[in-house]
Amino acid sequence: MFRNCLKLSNLKPGFGSRKIYSSMLPKVLLTKSLPPDSQKLLENAKDIELIQWKSDGEVQSIPREKFLEMAKGVDGILCMLTEKIDSELLDVAGPNLKVVSTMSVGYDHVDLNELRKRSISLGYTPGVLTDAVADITVLLVLAVTRRMREGIQAVENGKWRIWSPTWLLGTQLTNKTIGIVGLGRIGFATALRLKPFIGNNGKIIYSSRVEKPIASSIGATKVEFEFLIRKSDVICICCAMNEETKEMFNYEVFKKMKSNVILVNTARGGIIHQDDLCRSLSEGLFGGIGLDVTTPEPLNPNDPLLKFDKVTVIPHIGSATLETRTMMGNIAVENVLTGIRGEALPHRVDD
Ligand SMILES: O=CC(=O)O
């Protein structure tokens, strides 16, 4: 089933025995094919041996056992957010490993402390996916407030009868309060995009560990998380997932929200306690939910969450534009190549 284990040694003809020569080159393990331009960039690197796992149609992530097997003795790993980088993997990889480069802005799948202990650098891809993820956050806000999923289902299932003044009424964003959880790059870009929709009488509030000076440029006000969840009509989760934010949206929090609140999550599924979300939905809470991220991913098509018409789920495609994925891929390649050469990574997670 798998065409796994592609071994690509970037040798010019005439360099003698490929096997002997290639074994002297630093090895980079790539866990999934990159967008075409980024793939070429890595394949054209002259000073590495590229070891790549490939699945048919790119639909499956590298199985854990395969990952452990292929990571042995490598100098660099270029991975996705779907691969767990933990002590087991790092032990198996061994002392040659200098750099892990994840093709993602989030790195909650990486045990940063274990990397630090071993002086392994972590590269990531910040900045370049801000617009794409902010776009999809707005897309979900609009889709949920305007009941897009139900509308599409009605058309497809022959339930579209006649124009009616009272059918499929959504909610207008005008004059509403938007709460952004985490006003980093993506949170700010989302707020900026939503501002014209709420008009002069709408409000943007945000919660964050620190005051964000840029917020004043769009009139956004910093508030306590508690205030945000009580006062917002629309809440966009735009923060990173860490010990502090994991399952911060749970039953207790849901009960404090407005009963018709719209909740959108384009960050990480784990920030929402999903069983609590289902429980709250079955108790009639929420105006609607929009999720680009879930627990687990992929979400089982029979997951109870999908039984609620007001829940719209899309398959973690926030950064999925060719432009953005190519920029992410190129940065991930630069990170891994500079890392194995012992140079400073262009985009390194600071320790
Ligand atoms: O979710 C996507 C990313 O972290 O890049």
Side-chain angles (χ1 to χ4, degrees), residues 81 102-109 125 129 133 186 266-268 292-293 316 318-319 325 328:
L81 54 83
T102 180
M103 188 183 143
S104 61
V105 67
Y107 47 86
D108 48 287
H109 55 297
T125 65
L129 42 67
V133 180
I186 293 171
T266 51
R268 283 292 181 269
D292 182 42
V293 287
H316 204 151
S319 64
R325 288 283 168 85
M328 291 169 73

Side-chain angles (χ1 to χ4, degrees), residues 279-291:
R279 176 179 171 199
S280 308
L281 278 159
S282 56
E283 289 176 10
L285 303 187
F286 301 111
I289 305 286
L291 306 175

Side-chain angles (χ1 to χ4, degrees), residues 188-202:
F188 179 74
T190 300
L192 190 62
R193 282 160 172 72
L194 286 174
K195 192 169 165 58
F197 288 96
I198 58 174
N200 289 339
N201 295 321

